[in-house]
Amino acid sequence: MAMRTVEPEELDILAHQAEYAKASGAAENPDHVGNMETMLSNLVQKRRNLAQDAVSYPIAFMGRALDIARLQPVIEAVERAIEDEKRRSRN
């Protein structure tokens, strides 16, 4: 049985955000900044957990360092998004 080839476009979750990003049961005026700050807190905790894992299990050191390197730009992007949301809410 041959495996079906998946094109990268089929995995573009941002293109399908309307399908999964609907806030069911959410308030009419959601706290966008608060939501992003919670997301940022979770991402920072994930980074800390990766560092702790690297210290606890030296064999995982390089892999965890690479995981942190991939995670850091996401953290920075969320920080910029928070500032953007704050700026937009003042207008």
Side-chain angles (χ1 to χ4, degrees):
M1 181 171 169
M3 291 182 63
R4 182 173 88 78
T5 303
V6 177
E7 297 298 321
E9 296 79 24
E10 294 179 64
L11 303 175
D12 184 1
I13 60 171
L14 293 178
H16 304 291
Q17 68 179 339
E19 297 302 318
Y20 77 90
K22 293 178 183 171
S24 60
E28 191 169 314
N29 295 312
D31 180 8
H32 299 299
V33 173
N35 291 340
M36 287 188 195
E37 286 173 340
T38 299
M39 182 171 43
L40 177 62
S41 177
N42 292 340
L43 289 168
V44 168
Q45 186 59 52
K46 176 68 172 176
R47 181 182 62 193
R48 291 173 179 161
N49 292 345
L50 290 167
Q52 182 62 46
D53 194 44
V55 171
S56 299
Y57 305 100
I59 196 164
F61 178 80
M62 235 5 242
R64 295 302 170 250
L66 293 171
D67 290 340
I68 289 171
R70 286 189 292 266
L71 182 58
Q72 188 60 36
V74 176
I75 290 172
E76 292 167 3
V78 172
E79 288 172 334
R80 288 190 309 273
I82 290 169
E83 291 308 311
D84 182 61
E85 284 294 337
K86 286 178 180 178
R87 181 183 53 78
R88 289 173 187 277
S89 69
R90 286 190 298 262
N91 294 336

